[in-house]
Amino acid sequence: MAKIKLGRGEVVLADMAPPMRGLIFPFLELIIATALSWMLIGWMDASGVDVGIRNAVVGIWFLIVLWRFVLPLIRLRRQRFVVTNKRVLFVPGGRGRTESIPLMQIRGVRRRRGGLDIGVLGYGEAVHFDDVGRSKRVQALIEEQLR
């Protein structure tokens, strides 16, 4: 992950990654894909199916594991929500721009569904950030900075 460039006198107060609960369904998919694939491979070994077909099934299993578990894991662990003494930063896990909101433009903050709603001046609705780790603590920290 690229380092976040901080301004002069800017101090990181919180650097949060999303909670691991976002991997529950990818993990369950991993278990099911592994069980089904290796049961099929066991049947193929018992039936004397060609080794090339067996290896193709192993390759397909590997691609499914990569696509449905490893990539979501990497995206989740790269995502960051950073609070400094001057701004709030959101770094997405995949491709995308780093969102930066100066503290002076924040009207308020509240927790909703495991994430944070940040009211920003000039926006009609609050900006919602999903899956912020320790959202209660981060909310209190932002409110403290706003005072």
Side-chain angles (χ1 to χ4, degrees):
M1 181 171 85
K3 292 192 96 173
I4 297 171
K5 304 260 193 271
L6 297 177
R8 241 176 238 254
E10 197 169 14
V11 178
V12 174
L13 303 174
D15 185 359
M16 300 295 182
M20 294 297 283
R21 71 172 178 256
L23 288 177
I24 290 173
F25 289 114
F27 182 71
L28 292 175
E29 288 175 353
L30 171 70
I31 291 171
I32 291 170
T34 301
L36 293 176
S37 297
W38 289 99
M39 284 179 6
L40 178 63
I41 290 169
W43 176 81
M44 292 172 114
D45 285 344
S47 299
V49 177
D50 185 37
V51 176
I53 296 174
R54 180 186 179 277
N55 289 343
V57 171
V58 172
I60 291 169
W61 168 81
F62 176 75
L63 292 175
I64 289 172
V65 167
L66 186 69
W67 174 48
R68 301 299 296 171
F69 183 73
V70 175
L71 292 178
L73 174 68
I74 291 170
R75 263 188 238 110
L76 187 77
R77 298 320 301 163
R78 287 181 56 114
Q79 182 176 324
R80 289 277 182 252
F81 191 85
V82 181
V83 179
T84 69
N85 59 340
K86 295 184 180 181
R87 59 186 171 156
V88 173
L89 296 158
F90 176 74
V91 182
R95 295 177 185 220
R97 269 184 33 188
T98 299
E99 299 293 330
S100 177
I101 303 171
L103 286 175
M104 299 187 50
Q105 293 183 359
I106 295 177
R107 288 183 297 171
V109 61
R110 69 181 179 122
R111 292 184 314 137
R112 185 173 59 112
R113 296 182 188 156
L116 286 177
D117 282 343
I118 297 180
V120 181
L121 295 174
Y123 285 79
E125 294 182 15
V127 179
H128 182 74
F129 296 100
D130 286 325
D131 293 330
V132 176
R134 297 184 181 176
S135 60
K136 190 174 188 177
R137 182 175 150 211
V138 172
Q139 176 192 6
L141 186 61
I142 293 172
E143 287 174 345
E144 180 183 319
Q145 292 299 309
L146 293 177
R147 290 185 202 133

